[in-house]
Amino acid sequence: MVYTPRSAPRSARHGALLVGTVAVLGLLTACGNGTSAHSEAPATVSGTAAPATEGATSPAPSATASSATGTSSSPRATASSGGGAATTTPAAASTRCHTSELRASVGRNDPGAGQENFPVVLTNASARTCTLHGYPGAAFVSASGDQLGPDPKRSPGTPVTVRLKPGQSAWAGLTFSNPGISGAKTATPAALLVTPPDERNQLKVVWKGGPVPVSGNSSTVRLTVFSPGAGPS
């Protein structure tokens, strides 16, 4: 409200009161419409950090480190195997080789420095390309199926994913000290049970490698990571 002195004429005071009333009504009208004389910034859209503008577009999605299948666009390395060139690639659960798609075998012993070294070979017997990554599981068993000795331990190594086309193979080393040198107690297995990486079902291979250490001094059996091919050449 505008202040007017008492000495002012009555008509002047009446005019000032009328102007003040109009100003107050104007402010009330502006508030009722939800506008502000000083609010010129655009409104923000819920869930975004930037103000909403007419014709604005959503930001493009950021690139991810891998595709939906989890595979790399290029192989890390290649190596020869009995079925052609196998490759090593990052792991992908959707392409993992399942036990039912594989055939197991044990290659020729390659002894050295008091060690017995057997390649445990898995071959892709399916019609699709699949992968193996890491270590196999293994256990020596008797003819009645009883396990002989403790589970093999893993030798230090860097797991790679081996990509197997139909007919291609990958191998992991199974090694132990020669019992005749170490003096370990031995048993002669009837078979070796092999479990592919990340699988539960096993493959049974007839064991023809003779006695193996099952207890006592230097009786530890070790496994290495899978590599492309059917074993050392």
Side-chain angles (χ1 to χ4, degrees), residues 6 18 46 49 52 62 66 82 85 94 98 111 120 154 156 162 174 176 183 186 190 198 209 211 222 233:
R6 296 179 58 88
L18 181 61
S46 177
S62 60
S66 59
S94 62
H98 300 294
V120 176
R154 294 177 174 182
V162 184
L174 184 148
F176 52 85
T186 65
D198 299 316
R222 295 187 178 276
S233 56

Side-chain angles (χ1 to χ4, degrees), residues 74-175:
S74 60
R76 293 182 181 175
T78 60
S80 297
S81 70
T87 59
T88 57
T89 63
S94 62
T95 63
R96 186 180 80 240
C97 296
H98 300 294
T99 303
S100 60
E101 299 174 309
L102 299 168
R103 182 177 69 251
S105 61
V106 177
R108 178 179 55 87
N109 184 21
D110 184 23
Q115 290 288 116
E116 309 301 318
N117 305 296
F118 294 88
V120 176
V121 182
L122 293 182
T123 301
N124 183 3
S126 74
R128 74 177 184 107
T129 298
C130 61
T131 60
L132 294 173
H133 180 87
Y135 296 83
F140 292 113
V141 294
S142 65
S144 61
D146 295 327
Q147 182 170 337
L148 303 174
D151 292 337
K153 295 185 178 180
R154 294 177 174 182
S155 294
T158 302
V160 296
T161 299
V162 184
R163 183 172 178 267
L164 300 178
K165 294 180 179 179
Q168 291 185 331
S169 300
W171 70 281
L174 184 148
T175 66

